[in-house]
């Protein structure tokens, strides 16, 4: 895919690249050693503790505001900050799932259960199972669940046989992408309950299933109680709709530009033989920006660094970027970084291109 404003490293001759990584050595090994020596894989418990505390206080403030305002349509604007702070909870749950917050598995699990299941109504185990498969094989059409043909498709051969409503969605998927992301907040809850009641769900033990189920039900009960005791039924329904749609849009904006339109291993004869470095760098796109971009996208704007080092604490991703970029330059591996708007243009452009066969046949 063309990437007009992407930052790309210049290719280097293979012998020179091989010399820099050592005969028979891993391309990733030297970079891993550099990152470890800089202490960038060390946990930042204090940083996360402050962020989690502030976000929980913000969520509490919104809930108190709803109660104090009572049944009035003027309470609806509170759905906006609630969506923003709910997305922060999702980012914390994501980081805990990658063991970024603590070196102790049980602590990460507890944090993720609170932020995913209790605060968002999203199943921890369902998410981890799906997301870990994505990290293992990003943008691989046969192995990455995030690019499996569903409502959206990500390769032209996936459009074959799509007729009726699915065909119409595929023809217009670039235009429909952002409207469809408004359903993501609700979809995450539905998928979680589906996994909970599925016989082949991702839960390892009966206890895990019961704990997750109890927290999912507690989320639904608490959310409904807060809205229905503070607002009229009509106001509560509108508030919930606005909140969930904005949450879905926000999450979609954070996750969508990271891989869409980037390399797909299936399209390369040697794609399945790529090592960890190439598999993660070639399929990922970074987004330039400052502190506001980092906050809004939950650190996922450093998608390359995150995929290379999933357990790296979020505040260290930007610190690792110079070393990663330099290492890619040494090996002649393209390192893609675009602006915020450009990232969406590229992602949507890819979706539009994929739907071309159906538009031509229509």
């Amino acid at each position: 895919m063309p990437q007009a404003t992407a930052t790309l490293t210049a290719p280097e001759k293979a012998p020179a690249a091989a010399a820099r990584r050592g005969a028979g050595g891993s391309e990733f090994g030297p970079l891993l050693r550099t990152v470890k020596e800089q202490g960038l894989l060390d946990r930042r418990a204090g940083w996360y503790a402050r962020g989690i505390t502030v976000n929980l206080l913000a969520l509490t403030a919104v809930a108190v505001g709803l109660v104090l305002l009572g049944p009035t349509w003027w309470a609806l604007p509170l759905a906006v900050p609630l969506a923003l702070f709910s997305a922060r909870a999702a980012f914390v749950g994501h980081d805990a799932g990658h063991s970024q917050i603590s070196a102790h598995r049980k602590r990460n699990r507890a944090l993720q259960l609170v932020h995913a299941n209790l605060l968002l109504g999203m199943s921890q185990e369902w998410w981890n199972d799906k997301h870990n498969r994505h990290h293992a094989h990003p943008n691989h059409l046969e192995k990455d669940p995030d690019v499996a043909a569903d409502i959206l498709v990500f390769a032209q051969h996936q459009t074959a046989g799509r007729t009726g409503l699915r065909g119409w969605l595929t023809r217009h998927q670039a235009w429909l992408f952002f409207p469809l992301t408004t359903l993501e907040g609700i979809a995450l809850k539905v998928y979680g309950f589906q996994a909970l009641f599925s016989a082949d769900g991702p839960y390892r033990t009966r206890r895990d299933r019961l704990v997750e189920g109890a927290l999912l039900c507690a989320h639904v009960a608490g959310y409904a109680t807060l809205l229905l005791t503070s607002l009229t039924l009509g106001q509560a329904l509108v508030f919930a709709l606005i909140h969930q749609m904005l949450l879905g849009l926000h999450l979609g904006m954070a996750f969508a530009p990271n891989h869409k339109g980037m390399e797909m291993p299936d399209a390369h004869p040697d794609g399945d033989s790529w090592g960890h470095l190439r598999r993660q760098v070639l399929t990922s796109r970074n987004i330039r920006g400052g502190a506001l971009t980092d906050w809004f996208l939950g650190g996922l704007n450093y998608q390359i660094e995150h995929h290379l080092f999933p357990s790296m604490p979020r505040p260290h991703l930007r610190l690792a970027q110079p070393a990663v970029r330099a290492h890619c330059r040494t090996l002649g591996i393209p390192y893609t970084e675009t602006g915020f708007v450009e990232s969406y243009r590229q992602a949507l452009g890819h979706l539009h291109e994929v739907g071309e066969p159906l538009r031509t046949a229509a």
Side-chain angles (χ1 to χ4, degrees):
M1 292 294 296
Q3 297 168 354
T5 62
T7 300
L8 300 175
T9 59
E12 183 175 341
K13 293 182 180 179
R20 282 178 168 81
R21 64 178 182 268
S26 163
E27 291 181 322
F28 181 61
L31 178 61
L32 178 59
R33 286 193 294 273
T34 297
V35 165
K36 283 184 175 179
E37 289 169 358
Q38 293 178 357
L40 297 180
L41 293 180
D42 297 344
R43 303 306 194 279
R44 290 285 300 276
W47 185 91
Y48 275 105
R50 290 190 295 272
I52 290 171
T53 299
V54 169
N55 197 59
L56 290 177
L57 289 173
L59 288 169
T60 301
V62 174
V64 171
L66 274 172
V67 172
L68 293 179
L69 283 173
T72 171
W73 292 103
W74 290 106
L76 295 187
L78 288 177
V80 177
L82 185 59
L84 286 172
F85 299 133
S86 295
R88 302 310 108 207
F91 294 144
V92 171
H94 167 270
D95 291 4
H98 282 296
S99 298
Q100 294 179 20
I101 301 176
S102 172
H104 301 279
R105 186 183 66 83
K106 290 185 177 180
R107 292 179 187 172
N108 285 310
R109 173 173 165 76
L111 285 168
Q112 193 178 31
L113 282 171
V114 169
H115 286 83
N117 292 60
L118 184 60
L119 294 180
L120 296 179
M122 181 184 77
S123 166
Q124 175 203 47
E125 289 297 336
W126 168 82
W127 168 260
N128 287 346
D129 175 69
K130 174 178 177 290
H131 196 58
N132 288 339
R133 285 185 284 134
H134 158 69
H135 266 263
H137 302 283
N139 258 20
H140 194 293
L141 293 171
E142 301 298 325
K143 299 177 181 179
D144 182 358
D146 286 359
V147 291
D150 193 7
I151 294 177
L152 301 177
V153 297
F154 305 95
Q156 289 191 349
H157 75 267
Q158 291 179 326
T159 66
R162 292 178 74 92
T163 58
L165 177 60
R166 283 184 176 269
W168 182 83
L169 288 171
T170 301
R171 288 196 299 274
H172 305 287
Q173 62 180 6
W175 295 100
L176 294 172
F177 177 78
F178 283 116
L180 287 172
T181 61
T182 62
L183 303 175
E184 186 66 18
I186 298 172
L188 292 174
K189 296 173 176 56
V190 172
Y191 293 146
F193 276 101
Q194 285 179 340
L196 185 67
F197 293 109
S198 173
D200 59 348
Y203 306 101
R204 291 167 292 184
T205 65
R206 175 181 173 82
R207 183 178 181 276
D208 288 343
R209 189 184 296 266
L210 290 175
V211 169
E212 291 228 17
L215 290 173
L216 291 176
C217 291
H219 166 81
V220 173
Y223 188 67
T225 299
L226 173 64
L227 296 188
L228 292 175
T229 57
S230 303
L231 306 170
T232 66
L233 177 59
Q235 292 166 351
L237 290 174
V238 174
F239 185 98
L241 185 63
I242 296 173
H243 171 220
Q244 296 302 323
M245 290 178 68
L246 290 178
L247 172 60
L249 179 62
H250 189 168
L251 294 178
M253 292 181 71
F255 285 95
N258 300 327
H259 302 283
K260 306 297 183 287
M262 294 302 296
E263 295 284 4
M264 289 185 165
D266 312 60
H268 294 264
D270 61 342
D272 285 335
S273 67
W274 287 349
H276 178 69
L277 184 75
R278 290 178 185 269
R279 184 167 59 250
Q280 305 300 342
V281 174
L282 294 176
T283 61
S284 302
R285 175 194 294 112
N286 276 16
I287 300 174
R288 286 189 293 269
L292 181 60
T293 302
D294 293 358
W295 180 84
F296 185 76
L297 298 180
L300 296 177
N301 45 312
Y302 302 104
Q303 190 68 192
I304 294 174
E305 288 71 27
H306 170 57
H307 264 255
L308 287 172
F309 308 100
S311 65
M312 180 179 286
R314 196 191 312 173
H316 288 173
L317 293 173
R318 66 178 179 85
L319 302 179
Q321 187 180 40
V324 174
R325 186 189 286 118
H327 189 64
C328 288
R329 183 182 300 114
T330 297
L331 296 176
I333 298 175
Y335 179 101
T336 304
E337 185 177 40
T338 73
F340 187 82
V341 175
E342 175 64 15
S343 69
Y344 297 111
R345 189 196 69 78
Q346 292 181 12
L348 296 179
H350 173 70
L351 292 177
H352 183 74
E353 180 181 321
V354 168
E356 179 62 28
L358 292 186
R359 290 195 300 276
T360 302

